[in-house]
Structure formats: C-alpha cells, structure tokens
Amino acid sequence: MRDKTLQNGLEQTHEKNKKTTRLLLLIVVGMFGFGFAMVPLYRLVCNVAGIGISGAANSGRIIDKSGHPRSIDKERLVTIQFDSLINEGLQWEFHPLVKEMKVHPGKPYEVSYYAKNNSGKKVVAQAIPGITPWQATSYFHKTECFCFTQQTLDSGEEKDMPLKFIIDPDLPKDIKVVTLSYTFMDTDRSSLRKKRELNLPSDNKHKG
Amino acid sequence: MSTDIAHEEHHHGPPKGIGRWLFSTNHKDIGTMYLVFALTMLFVGGASAMYIRAELFMPGVQFMEPDFYNNMVTNHALIMVFAVVMPAAAGLANWMIPMMIGAPDMALPRLNNLSFWLLPAAAVMLILSTVVPFLPGGGSAINTGWTLYPPLSIQTGMAMDFAIFTVHILGVSSILASINIVVTILNMRAPGMTLFKMPMFCWAWLFTGLLLIIIAPVLAGGVTMLLFDRHFGTSFFDAAGGGDPVLFQHLFWFFGHPEVYVLLLPSIGVLAMIIPTFARKPLFGYNSLVGGMAILFTLGLVAWAHHQYTVGMAAGPTTWFMIITILISIPVGLMLLNFMMTMWRGAMTFETPMLFAVAIVLMFSFAGVTGIMLAVVPADLEYHDSMFVVAHFHYALIPGALMGLLAAAFYWLPKWTGNMYDERLGKIFFWWNVISFNITFFPQHFYGLAGMPRRIVDYNPAFADLNMISSLGAFAYGLSHLLFLYIVIKTVRGGVKAGNKPWEGAQIGTPGLEWDLSSPPPFHSFTTPPVVK
C-alpha cells in the first residue's frame, strides 16, 4: 500500500518536473529570440526616444525638421573641424578639402571631401559620421551629405563630395569647437576577411 | 520497497570503474566532478594571472608580444568566470541541494550528466583558442578581453571562432544546469519543506538559476551575431553595413551585469549557512534576505549599461543606469546587515569557514564602496578602464565569489568525505590567502586612480613600485592555493572522523536535513522522503 502511494507520488513529481522544465526551456528560447529582437528594437528605441548616440544609428541623417528660417547669429563664431578616417581594408584616399573653418550659427555652409579609389577595382563604400562633443549632435543640421548614401568609385576614380550644413543657433553657448569626423568603410567585407586570414597587422590610415 | 530485488541491487552502491564518472547520474558524483573540474581550472586560470602579474612586475615588455598578454587577460577572465566560479557553485548545488531539501537526487539526472560533460569540451576549446595563433595560418590571437567587443573581435583571427564556440558550449551547460537546479528546488522538496523553510543556499541558487536562464541565451545570441558578422556577411555590429558596435555592448552587458550576481549569489547563500552555524544563532531576517535577493535579481537586470558610460549615450539613459546602479547598494547593504546582525551577540567561534565569512563581509563591503564611486557618471568617466576598476571587481569577485566557495569547501568537506580537515592548516591557509590577496589588489586602487590603464602590457615607470608590490602579493596569493589543494587531498585521504554533524550549530534555524545523514552520505540519500516538521 505504502509502495503504491510512493509510486504515485514519484509519478506526480515526474510530471511536474516535465512541466517546469518545458516552461524554463520556453524562457530560454524566448530570451535567445529577445537577443535578436534587440537589433530592431535598439534602433527603434534610440530613434523614438531621441537617445541615439552620435547619429551612427541612422547614418547621420540629421535633417532640420523645424522648417523655420533660422536667424543668423552674427555675433557668434563656432569653429568646425573636419576629420577623416579610413577603416581597415579600404584602399581609398579620403580627406577634407578644408580642415577647419569658423561659422556663424544659422548660416548655411558648403564644404567638400576628396576621395580617390586606389584599390584597382570598383568599390562601394559608406561613410559613417561622428560628432564630438556628442552634445552638439542634434544642433548639427546636414542638408546634403555624401554620407546619406553609399558611394561608388571605379578603379582610380576620384571625386569631390559635397557636404552642406547649418549649425543651429540654439547650440549651447559653452560649445565653441565641434569636430565632424567621417570614417569610410568598405561595404564588401571580403577584403577584411582576407586580411584576417593572412594575419596582417592593422593599417588604419589617418589623414587629417 | 522490496518489490524489485534486481533494482535494489543495482542501486545500492556506486558502479565500478570509469563508467561511474562518465555515465554518472548521481548528484553527489556529478557534484564532485564539477568541484574537481573547477579546482583544476582554478590553477589554469591562476597560471594566466601569474603570467599577467609577472609581465607587469616591471615596466616594459618582458616575455611575450602584447597580443599574447591580451590573450592571457581574456583567458584569465573567461576561465575564472565560466570554468571556475560557475562550475564550483554548480558543484555545491549538486552536492547539497538534494540533501538539503530531502530529495533522492536531482530532478533531471541525465541532463545533469550532459551539463557537466559539456564543460571539459569547452575547456579544451578555450585552450585551443590560445594555441591556434601559434600554428601556421592560425591568424592573430584574441586580444579583445572577455567582453569580445566588435569591431576588434570581428577582425581577430580564427582563435575568436574557438572562443565564440567556447562561450556557446559554456552557455548551454550553465543553462541546462540551472534548469535542473530550479526544477529540483521547485518540485523535489520533501513533504513539509516549504519554500520559506528552505536553507538559504537553496534560495540563493533559485535566484541564480532563474537569472542564468534569462541572461545566458542573450549572450549566446550576441556571440552568434558576432559569428555571423565574421563569416556570413551580416552587419549586426558593422557600421559600414548599417550595424552598430554599441549594440553588442548592450547585448553583452545585459548578460554581463546580472552575471556578477550569478557569481555572487551562491556565495551569499553559503555565508547564510556558515554565519548562523558559527555564531550559534538563527539567521537574522530570513525573509528580508530572500527579499533582498529578489530585489537584487530585479535591479540587476536593468542596470547593465553602467559599463558603457563612456560610449556616448545620451544623458537620459545614462542617468537611469546611474540611479539603478546606486540603488543596488541598498539590497546588498541589507544582506551585509543580515550577516552582521546574525553575528551580533552570538556565541562565535572562528573555525576556517567562519574566518573566511567574516573576512568576506569586510572585504566585500569595500568593493561596494568603490562600486558606488564607479557608479557615479562624472567620476566613472575618470576611472573608466583604469586599474581602479580592476581593483574594484577583484575585491567584489574574489571575496564575493571565490572565497565564499573556499569557505563552502571547508564547511562541507567533513560532510562530503567523512573526515575533518586539518584546522591548523586551514587557518594558515586563510591568513596566507587573505593577506596576500590584499597585498595584490589594494595597491591597484592607488595606481588606478593615478592613471594606469588596464589591459595594456606596458605602463608608465611612475607606477613601477606599486606594481612590483602587487606582483609579489599575487605570487604569494597564487601559491596559497597549492596549500588548499594539499588540505583537500589530505582530508579526502583520511583524518579525524567527522560524525554526522561536525558543526555544533549547523542545524540552528534550518531543518538541516543534510546533517541528519551520515558523513560521507550514502550513495543514495533519502530513498523515502523525510518529513520536515
């Protein structure tokens, strides 16, 4: 009699164990999925809440949404520095035509970056912007930029790429220097992979 | 019980030969294997730490090239976290939880076997990841640190693939072990053993297991994306293809921060067993300690980005993570209060486990204080990636996790082996261990604040003297564990018989079912469930 109740008890525990295990496995699968769901969610949250970092999440497309004509602040001069970087594996020449300029907030300006493809083949590349200090990011309005789209250069081709921007007059007063940096990256990553297999040292070229 | 004689015979003693271990489904044998594995890996991870300290003994590059140094930093972290502390804690859980709650074995014994035997495979993978760069065509060494941040981790050679698979295997192993432990605690308790009568170690592991089940799959997902970025042309973390490397940091630390509590909680559970025993008083505030762990569990899941203050997050989220991080000090402070109030006016004696427990309460509080410093954003921007951070998390994890496990080993060795360990050697080990630990890591606060960065092979000669002190301390600290190994071997081989209940106060405030069994306990404990009054 006692054996029977014991047996029943064991079977009951067994069933319960199965149920709990299934539930916990479900959490595991769910959390694995959550990791992947973070990819779109992360972008969404950053955009909606406006907590995007240096604009990298949306390719730096910072567009003036207000539509109001900005009054030009003639009293104030802000120094804008232009910087360029080339990511590992991309054999391009890339640098700004002016390194630094002083601008009045509210006034539109145009500068150019020079790019040349030295790789001997057609390359599609994407420029990723970064603004320092990050607090200036939302006050740096680009109306036209080569970073909005991918850039294609044939072997040996060179071109000047325009960048039009307006500094918001609301830029906090304590910011006197803003650095805009672009990193060009090869969208075809096979060259990078080849480099990795050959175990070559990294060759980030920095051209001011 | 006498219905099936063959069945009875089969189940009386352990099977003979290597099959006993390879095919084991016995919670005690698997627990032993976990503990032996962890102790072995402690020496492997310790060897890499010794290399790091030897390299930093003097300024300049002494032995190997910088990439190898960074590879050792990576290995040291991965091994200590995944192959020492977690398996050791799982080993304690395997050994003790079924006995504590009056269960015949773990709920899922075959799964238990699998989750252990995945570990040696992972360890081999990890060691291969270090060896591969030395082979022709092996690519570059892993130089990212255990955080495996892209884009560096995307550019590293094939050693990184080994590391990624290591993380996968370890993740699967710890998820399976956690499921097993959670199911055991929820379903296998003896009649009368309600959740709120359980020994605190079981509660600690219940939270640990649930945490791991939630976070480990996210890390697995993150490194899987890394693997895809490396080989299948995706751009999860590659800015050129529209990805964002910071996303990996979020995925990693969503796992990485709660992981700290995964390492810490089992040791908190151990302290909650040891301190009442040697203070001869029931645990002060049982319910509040459970509540504290629940709060820690919840807050721990939403505090992760305090590791990323410097990546340029906007002020809003940064402030959120700062506030949550500072809030975490409240439940942790409460836990320490639980322990101190348990000791208050107790009839304390200072056997080795208790010495460790008191030292842990003290030194872990210290890590808590430096933790508050690091939680504050403007201060952290200064301290970020300095040796100060290294000092902070070693004060958190060595007392908070490793020493707790050592204390547990001393506390339960008499139960496991039936023999008392050598108390005199135990005390020598304690003082040697704790003093050399402090000599190693205390100076790091100073040269960290003075500006020495972490993870870099060379340093400014201005930091030379303090680094030399650190290194000397580290060699002494590393050596002390050989004494621990000797004590364990000596205890296993023989000694004064321990009896069922070697510690006078062991059953104070808990049902203490494990102490009703003989020492060592029979191969199958509790074939009929005990009844807890």
Side-chain angles (χ1 to χ4, degrees):
Chain A
M1 188 58 207
R2 192 162 173 274
D3 281 354
K4 209 159 205 180
T5 36
L6 196 70
Q7 200 63 36
N8 282 343
L10 276 178
E11 265 164 31
Q12 263 176 19
T13 319
H14 205 69
E15 276 309 303
K16 252 168 63 184
N17 286 350
K18 264 193 195 161
K19 240 171 101 181
T20 320
T21 310
R22 246 179 257 141
L23 180 75
L24 293 175
L25 275 175
L26 211 68
I27 299 179
V28 170
V29 174
M31 288 312 290
F32 188 74
F34 172 75
F36 283 86
M38 278 280 272
V39 179
L41 274 180
Y42 171 69
R43 202 145 305 169
L44 197 72
V45 168
C46 289
N47 286 343
V48 168
I51 53 178
I53 32 174
S54 49
N58 54 4
S59 292
R61 187 186 288 273
I62 300 152
I63 295 163
D64 189 357
K65 289 190 202 109
S66 64
H68 299 303
R70 298 274 173 171
S71 57
I72 297 169
D73 191 347
K74 293 263 167 87
E75 301 296 301
R76 195 172 166 204
L77 274 177
V78 180
T79 306
I80 310 290
Q81 298 175 327
F82 299 96
D83 182 39
S84 65
L85 285 163
I86 294 182
N87 203 40
E88 192 166 0
L90 182 65
Q91 285 164 13
W92 278 24
E93 220 172 287
F94 174 53
H95 56 83
L97 295 180
V98 273
K99 282 187 183 171
E100 192 176 295
M101 64 195 289
K102 290 199 187 307
V103 304
H104 290 294
K107 190 176 169 188
Y109 290 89
E110 182 174 348
V111 290
S112 287
Y113 271 71
Y114 167 83
K116 186 179 180 209
N117 181 354
N118 291 333
S119 70
K121 59 178 197 291
K122 187 172 151 182
V123 171
V124 183
Q126 167 75 50
I128 306 291
I131 289 171
T132 320
W134 64 264
Q135 287 89 342
T137 308
S138 51
Y139 302 98
F140 203 116
H141 303 301
K142 294 175 203 162
T143 52
E144 189 184 326
C145 178
F146 56 90
C147 60
F148 288 172
T149 53
Q150 295 186 338
Q151 299 292 325
T152 312
L153 287 187
D154 279 322
S155 168
E157 189 186 344
E158 54 187 329
K159 75 173 166 189
D160 287 343
M161 301 176 299
L163 164 69
K164 289 182 184 163
F165 66 93
I166 307 169
I167 299 294
D168 199 307
D170 295 337
L171 180 75
K173 290 283 179 252
D174 57 315
I175 299 179
K176 298 195 170 62
V177 181
V178 178
T179 308
L180 173 64
S181 172
Y182 283 101
T183 309
F184 246 117
M185 298 183 173
D186 194 347
T187 52
D188 173 20
R189 301 158 36 79
S190 57
S191 57
L192 194 66
R193 209 167 302 135
K194 207 170 289 158
K195 185 176 291 289
R196 186 170 69 222
E197 276 148 20
L198 292 171
N199 191 17
L200 295 176
S202 62
D203 58 350
N204 273 3
K205 287 195 192 90
H206 188 157
K207 294 198 174 153
Chain B
M1 291 303 294
S2 54
T3 43
D4 189 346
I5 290 163
H7 181 85
E8 281 280 283
E9 260 175 5
H10 179 65
H11 271 244
H12 256 309
K16 299 278 176 285
I18 191 159
R20 168 178 178 182
W21 305 102
L22 277 179
F23 311 121
S24 177
T25 53
N26 181 283
H27 73 99
K28 299 187 190 79
D29 281 356
I30 292 176
T32 306
M33 288 197 289
Y34 262 114
L35 292 169
V36 170
F37 175 81
L39 190 56
T40 316
M41 293 310 282
L42 178 70
F43 287 98
V44 180
S48 48
M50 291 301 102
Y51 168 79
I52 292 168
R53 280 322 313 179
E55 179 60 63
L56 296 177
F57 189 71
M58 285 189 297
V61 180
Q62 329 294 344
F63 305 108
M64 306 280 279
E65 48 184 317
D67 265 354
F68 184 79
Y69 174 83
N70 286 338
N71 193 353
M72 283 298 111
V73 171
T74 312
N75 280 4
H76 171 66
L78 286 176
I79 291 174
M80 288 304 188
V81 169
F82 289 108
V84 177
V85 173
M86 286 166 71
L92 295 179
N94 260 298
W95 247 104
M96 300 315 296
I97 288 177
M99 298 204 295
M100 283 174 166
I101 62 174
D105 205 303
M106 297 296 279
L108 312 160
R110 291 193 191 96
L111 196 73
N112 209 7
N113 179 293
L114 176 65
S115 58
F116 171 75
W117 280 110
L118 284 172
L119 284 178
V124 170
M125 278 285 232
L126 190 63
I127 291 165
L128 277 179
S129 80
T130 310
V131 174
V132 154
F134 290 99
L135 304 177
S140 57
I142 301 171
N143 45 12
T144 58
W146 80 298
T147 50
L148 309 177
Y149 279 0
L152 188 55
S153 57
I154 293 178
Q155 294 160 17
T156 310
M158 71 162 108
M160 184 57 72
D161 300 322
F162 283 89
I164 288 173
F165 280 124
T166 305
V167 172
H168 274 139
I169 300 174
L170 290 169
V172 171
S173 160
S174 57
I175 289 170
L176 295 181
S178 301
I179 289 180
N180 202 353
I181 291 166
V182 171
V183 174
T184 307
I185 294 175
L186 290 181
N187 294 345
M188 305 286 282
R189 280 170 287 123
M193 175 66 87
T194 57
L195 279 173
F196 278 88
K197 264 188 194 164
M198 287 197 305
M200 194 52 74
F201 182 69
C202 303
W203 267 111
W205 246 108
L206 185 60
F207 285 117
T208 309
L210 287 172
L211 254 187
L212 261 173
I213 289 168
I214 291 173
I215 62 172
V218 177
L219 176 72
V223 294
T224 307
M225 289 179 217
L226 208 57
L227 200 69
F228 281 17
D229 266 15
R230 287 171 57 82
H231 295 292
F232 305 122
T234 57
S235 298
F236 287 107
F237 310 126
D238 187 17
D244 188 345
V246 178
L247 173 62
F248 181 83
Q249 302 189 8
H250 283 289
L251 288 172
F252 183 87
W253 287 112
F254 181 84
F255 156 83
H257 187 67
E259 171 70 12
V260 176
Y261 304 118
V262 166
L263 303 176
L264 172 71
L265 282 174
S267 289
I268 293 281
V270 167
L271 289 192
M273 309 300 296
I274 290 176
I275 293 176
T277 301
F278 296 99
R280 292 164 181 78
K281 261 179 70 191
L283 182 69
F284 177 86
Y286 181 101
N287 293 349
S288 79
L289 187 49
V290 175
M293 288 198 278
I295 297 171
L296 193 66
F297 175 95
T298 319
L299 290 181
L301 279 170
V302 288
W304 72 89
H306 60 216
H307 296 264
Q308 304 161 238
Y309 285 157
T310 57
V311 296
M313 284 186 297
T318 310
T319 312
W320 157 272
F321 287 115
M322 172 168 84
I323 292 170
I324 295 291
T325 307
I326 295 172
L327 277 181
I328 286 178
S329 62
I330 297 172
V332 177
L334 273 176
M335 288 177 186
L336 296 174
L337 199 73
N338 282 113
F339 295 147
M340 284 187 276
M341 291 306 285
T342 309
M343 289 187 235
W344 179 253
R345 293 189 165 175
M348 293 213 281
T349 51
F350 295 95
E351 285 84 350
T352 311
M354 186 59 167
L355 282 175
F356 268 111
V358 175
I360 289 165
V361 169
L362 245 156
M363 294 190 295
F364 186 71
S365 317
F366 195 81
V369 175
T370 53
I372 295 287
M373 293 170 73
L374 289 165
V376 179
V377 177
D380 179 73
L381 295 180
E382 191 69 27
Y383 307 147
H384 185 85
D385 253 350
S386 73
M387 290 299 277
F388 183 77
V389 179
V390 176
H392 160 71
F393 68 71
H394 280 91
Y395 264 89
L397 289 180
I398 291 182
L402 182 61
M403 283 183 182
L405 298 168
L406 291 174
F410 282 107
Y411 184 59
W412 283 317
L413 258 179
K415 172 58 52 185
W416 298 334
T417 61
N419 306 320
M420 285 306 280
Y421 63 88
D422 187 330
E423 189 60 53
R424 198 177 57 89
L425 285 181
K427 286 207 166 80
I428 293 174
F429 170 67
F430 166 78
W431 289 109
W432 182 359
N433 191 268
V434 167
I435 291 173
S436 57
F437 160 75
N438 280 288
I439 296 174
T440 311
F441 292 102
F442 205 75
Q444 296 187 354
H445 291 104
F446 302 126
Y447 54 80
L449 285 181
M452 179 172 160
R454 62 191 279 218
R455 286 178 169 165
I456 293 179
V457 64
D458 192 6
Y459 56 88
N460 189 317
F463 309 124
D465 292 347
L466 284 173
N467 263 296
M468 196 174 279
I469 295 173
S470 256
S471 289
L472 291 173
F475 301 143
Y477 181 65
L479 277 179
S480 74
H481 295 89
L482 290 175
L483 177 59
F484 176 72
L485 182 65
Y486 173 75
I487 296 171
V488 171
I489 293 173
K490 195 175 161 201
T491 312
V492 171
R493 291 169 66 96
V496 184
K497 289 283 158 261
N500 291 3
K501 197 174 85 161
W503 311 116
E504 186 192 8
Q507 283 175 318
I508 282 189
T510 79
L513 294 175
E514 70 275 31
W515 306 107
D516 290 340
L517 294 166
S518 62
S519 301
F523 193 62
H524 290 285
S525 34
F526 304 122
T527 37
T528 45
V531 177
V532 181
K533 288 161 287 282

